[in-house]
Amino acid sequence: MTDQPELNDTDLDAVREKYRVERDKRLEGSSRAVVVPDFTGPGAEYLVDPYQPVVEREPVNDEVDVVIVGAGFGGLLFGANLRDEGMQRIRLIDTAGDVGGVWYWNRYPGAMCDVESLIYMPLLEELGYVPKDRYAKAAEILAHAKKLAKHYGLYDDALFHTAVTELRWDDEEGHWLVTTNRGDQIRALHVLVAPGPLNRLRLPDLPGLDSFKGRVFHTSRWDYSYTGGDSESELTGLRDKAVGIVGTGATGLQCVPQVAKYAKQLYVFQRTPSTVAVRDNRPIDPEWVKSQQPGWQARRQDNFTDVLAGVPVDEDLVHDSWTDLYNHLLYDPAFAELSPDAAAKLREIADFNQMESVRSRIATEVADPQTAEALKPYYAYTCKRPGFHDEYLASFNRPNVTLVDTQGQGLEAAYRDGVIVNGEKYELDCLILATGFSTETAGRGMLGYEVVGRDGLTLNEKWAGGLSTLHGIATSRFPNFFLMPGNYSQSAGTVNLMHAMQHHAKQVAYIIGEATRRGARVVEVDPEAEAAWVQTILDKAPDRKEFLAACTPGRDNYEGANTRPAQNALYGGTPREYFEILEKWRQAGDLAGFRLS
Ligand code: NAP
């Protein structure tokens, strides 16, 4: 077992009390309200595409086999797997100007993947591509998405810069009617939605923001015409500018060091500090990749997912800060030999020690003790998504960079020349919102449009009391309709979302392919099979209420409100168990739980 320094009950109580005090500061925070703009309506200006102009086109009125809403990797994987099933007319629809989804939008300086590119970037073997670096930069990942779309012929019928406004099932005709903000009326036999968990951007509800005379934008709409440069070059436009960045999550960690290098003055407005573990990026040796046996990517993905789920492996193939964290923090094999209470206590101690090492890294890297102290996170490690960076902390040693610790409160207000925090005015030319994305995980809040199934039933109405699906990918009374599950969605939960998405895409393509081979036009979940899966989710859901309630507010505990219905959970077994359920189901070949007509 990892050596854990002694921590007695009194020490642990003191740690818990410190964490509680820090959490409460944030719970009482004044600026928790957020705005999630739609493409039509208040805040729509924050959604304008700064990368590619919208080209006028005539509305489309036609019929296709499949519409896929969302052309990020989820939609692309749906498309690739459907092509393998022989599907002809596939139409991708996306609000972006091209494929790539989250990687189309998030081009902020310093943007990169925080899961190893060899397991994150899908279909590397199929496309014969070797990523340049262990953690790929955003531009390389976007280029890979485009390559994938070309390889599988997914550009042919695609509609970009197009927001779906409604999906409606027409029972008489036996197809979906897809309407969009470009006046399109598309009939589709099947509709697949792949919204991604980070599709709906979140803005702070900041009084006075309208009166601010400077430039404001969200990190997922980076305005390079203002800042100069691109995601990897000099931001020359900021040399004479005072810039504020709000938000210090994974995005803030990556863009702060870049802006710090070029802005005349940078204020980083912090509400809760992130953990910042070692990144250790380095080039990938293409020869090493060539030396691997076919199937290496799937094996590496399985290995990573197993390590993070606590499944014993012969060798930790990825061996990075993620696997190190999970190996030491959550799944020390010795925990299994202890009583649940003793194991829980040791985990808490291990967590504390891990957080202490995070805090001591800050003290080593940040010269000013007051700034260093303010950057230290006081909560359990897995309360928030862990952060990784090797330049973020040192950015605060630059004379032009100031950390503004809002003590859990966020910004108070904006005014004509800047923002007000803790009663103090900060003059700014530019305010950058690294404030993340909506945490909605179901229905309209997640998709941004209404889905109307049989007899006028909407997805919102159906899921008002909680999610209800078979395997997270389909739901009864919504025929020929499939979802790419995201977080909290009755499916597998992996840090490497791409891994799970590959399995989901394969499953959905198989169902559509097999139903077609059997001559069926309509395939729909049987309510009894759906109820049984919901019960499985409930039975297997780990009870994390107490842990999450003690956490600082964040995505995982619904900003501290913790109001998610119990069934809106991930499958409680390991991700690989879930993948095996799908695989065995396909092998049985009887489309169990679906009705064909
Ligand atoms: P995030 O993790 O939700 O962080 C948002 C930040 O904005 C937090 O620091 C939050 O403070 C702050 N904030 C939100 N509302 C605020 C307000 N009203 N006033 C002041 N501060 C406010 O968003 P993100 O950093 O964009 O990351 C989102 C997700 O994207 C991550 O969980 C990760 O999965 C993914 N991501 C991945 C990568 C990658 O490398 N692959 C990179 C970037 C993002 P609090 O902490 O106090 O709430």
Side-chain angles (χ1 to χ4, degrees):
M1 192 191 309
T2 323
D3 282 338
Q4 303 294 352
E6 285 293 307
L7 221 64
N8 62 33
D9 286 345
T10 316
D11 298 332
L12 275 179
D13 282 345
V15 170
R16 289 177 195 138
E17 178 59 11
K18 171 74 177 160
Y19 286 8
R20 190 190 61 72
V21 168
E22 292 297 318
R23 178 205 61 182
D24 288 355
K25 280 186 198 164
R26 173 69 172 77
L27 274 178
E28 290 149 15
S30 58
S31 65
R32 289 173 59 206
V34 292
V35 180
V36 180
D38 268 324
F39 277 86
T40 50
E45 67 274 18
Y46 284 95
L47 301 178
V48 172
D49 184 348
Y51 314 120
Q52 247 171 260
V54 177
V55 178
E56 284 306 315
R57 64 167 174 80
E58 290 299 312
V60 173
N61 186 332
D62 67 359
E63 185 159 350
V64 295
D65 296 325
V66 182
V67 157
I68 301 175
V69 189
F73 277 105
L76 293 172
L77 287 168
F78 268 150
N81 281 270
L82 284 170
R83 285 282 188 241
D84 289 346
E85 289 283 344
M87 192 61 69
Q88 294 295 314
R89 286 209 66 187
I90 299 174
R91 168 163 297 145
L92 293 172
I93 302 182
D94 202 295
T95 53
D98 204 325
V99 300
V102 78
W103 297 105
Y104 176 89
W105 293 117
N106 287 273
R107 305 180 188 195
Y108 56 83
M112 57 162 58
C113 180
D114 70 1
V115 171
E116 196 202 50
S117 49
L118 290 173
I119 56 169
Y120 181 81
M121 291 168 73
L123 306 179
L124 289 177
E125 290 180 82
E126 288 78 354
L127 269 69
Y129 185 70
V130 179
K132 294 190 190 84
D133 296 311
R134 204 165 175 217
Y135 303 96
K137 296 193 176 79
E140 187 182 5
I141 303 174
L142 178 57
H144 187 65
K146 292 180 184 180
K147 202 175 293 180
L148 213 153
K150 277 196 194 107
H151 185 84
Y152 289 94
L154 297 172
Y155 276 117
D156 301 349
D157 279 307
L159 294 177
F160 294 116
H161 281 145
T162 301
V164 165
T165 47
E166 188 186 76
L167 301 175
R168 183 175 286 270
W169 173 250
D170 181 334
D171 208 26
E172 268 176 32
E173 298 294 330
H175 61 216
W176 285 91
L177 184 63
V178 180
T179 45
T180 76
N181 67 343
R182 307 288 296 262
D184 308 311
Q185 300 261 333
I186 300 153
R187 294 167 298 287
L189 185 55
H190 298 276
V191 170
L192 279 50
V193 297
L198 310 173
N199 66 333
R200 309 210 60 214
L201 58 91
R202 180 173 68 168
L203 310 169
D205 188 8
L206 201 55
L209 191 56
D210 287 349
S211 66
F212 176 56
K213 290 285 172 273
R215 185 77 187 97
V216 193
F217 55 86
H218 188 270
T219 39
S220 68
R221 301 290 189 279
W222 195 274
D223 185 356
Y224 284 106
S225 72
Y226 181 87
T227 66
D230 58 31
S231 66
E232 288 166 43
S233 68
E234 296 185 16
L235 306 172
T236 47
L238 296 183
R239 291 210 189 282
D240 58 349
K241 303 284 192 305
V243 179
I245 294 183
V246 192
T248 54
T251 301
L253 295 192
Q254 293 183 343
C255 72
V256 160
Q258 293 305 106
V259 176
K261 279 181 209 159
Y262 304 108
K264 182 175 156 205
Q265 172 66 45
L266 170 61
Y267 296 104
V268 179
F269 299 109
Q270 171 186 275
R271 193 163 66 175
T272 312
S274 276
T275 55
V276 191
V278 170
R279 177 68 305 172
D280 191 21
N281 201 3
R282 49 179 185 265
I284 290 172
D285 176 5
E287 294 308 315
W288 176 86
V289 175
K290 273 189 214 153
S291 74
Q292 299 300 298
Q293 295 298 315
W296 65 264
Q297 190 180 28
R299 284 194 295 280
R300 201 170 175 88
Q301 287 174 328
D302 285 347
N303 181 274
F304 179 81
T305 295
D306 277 348
V307 171
L308 266 64
V311 178
V313 293
D314 291 339
E315 188 190 354
D316 171 3
L317 296 177
V318 171
H319 190 54
D320 68 355
S321 281
W322 276 112
T323 61
D324 185 55
L325 168 66
Y326 278 74
N327 271 327
H328 290 107
L329 191 56
L330 297 176
Y331 299 118
D332 192 318
F335 291 162
E337 292 156 24
L338 303 172
S339 72
D341 281 354
K345 190 167 169 185
L346 266 192
R347 276 206 184 99
E348 197 177 355
I349 294 172
D351 189 299
F352 173 78
N353 289 328
Q354 189 82 19
M355 288 301 284
E356 278 295 278
S357 78
V358 165
R359 291 187 280 261
S360 67
R361 184 183 190 212
I362 297 167
T364 315
E365 298 224 355
V366 178
D368 173 47
Q370 219 178 327
T371 305
E373 193 50 38
L375 283 165
K376 288 183 185 170
Y378 287 97
Y379 45 79
Y381 204 118
T382 49
C383 280
K384 278 184 173 292
R385 185 176 165 108
F388 310 91
H389 215 284
D390 293 338
E391 289 175 59
Y392 174 77
L393 294 170
S395 301
F396 293 95
N397 296 333
R398 291 177 177 272
N400 63 328
V401 179
T402 306
L403 177 73
V404 182
D405 181 14
T406 71
Q407 296 277 335
Q409 302 295 297
L411 308 184
E412 258 167 66
Y415 69 109
R416 203 188 66 139
D417 298 317
V419 295
I420 305 170
V421 182
N422 306 336
E424 209 168 304
K425 285 184 168 173
Y426 293 85
E427 277 192 24
L428 299 174
D429 297 298
C430 173
L431 181 64
I432 298 172
L433 306 172
T435 42
F437 302 88
S438 161
T439 51
E440 287 290 338
T441 53
R444 195 178 200 291
M446 170 182 76
L447 299 172
Y449 52 84
E450 205 66 84
V451 184
V452 188
R454 279 194 198 283
D455 309 316
L457 179 73
T458 68
L459 211 48
N460 256 8
E461 288 162 351
K462 168 146 190 197
W463 288 348
L467 274 184
S468 183
T469 70
L470 177 57
H471 298 153
I473 56 170
T475 188
S476 61
R477 303 186 67 190
F478 291 78
N480 293 2
F481 175 77
F482 297 91
L483 294 138
M484 180 59 80
N487 303 346
Y488 322 115
S489 52
Q490 305 190 337
S491 68
T494 60
V495 160
N496 184 11
L497 201 59
M498 211 66 86
H499 187 200
M501 290 203 302
Q502 283 173 261
H503 285 273
H504 294 133
K506 194 171 188 175
Q507 178 80 353
V508 169
Y510 168 81
I511 295 167
I512 294 175
E514 187 57 24
T516 310
R517 281 188 285 280
R518 292 178 188 206
R521 225 184 118 76
V522 178
V523 52
E524 182 179 350
V525 174
D526 183 340
E528 279 173 29
E530 181 172 312
W533 182 250
V534 172
Q535 196 53 51
T536 303
I537 295 295
L538 287 169
D539 292 346
K540 284 201 160 260
D543 186 2
R544 298 185 74 222
K545 271 208 184 80
E546 205 179 320
F547 172 79
L548 290 176
C551 276
T552 185
R555 272 180 88 78
D556 278 354
N557 61 4
Y558 257 116
E559 302 301 319
N562 227 342
T563 51
R564 206 163 31 229
Q567 68 205 60
N568 288 26
L570 291 162
Y571 174 73
T574 69
R576 291 246 280 142
E577 270 171 46
Y578 168 87
F579 301 153
E580 269 167 36
I581 290 172
L582 299 189
E583 209 166 314
K584 281 192 182 140
W585 183 93
R586 289 196 299 272
Q587 275 165 9
D590 55 0
L591 291 176
F594 283 91
R595 293 175 181 166
L596 306 187
S597 56

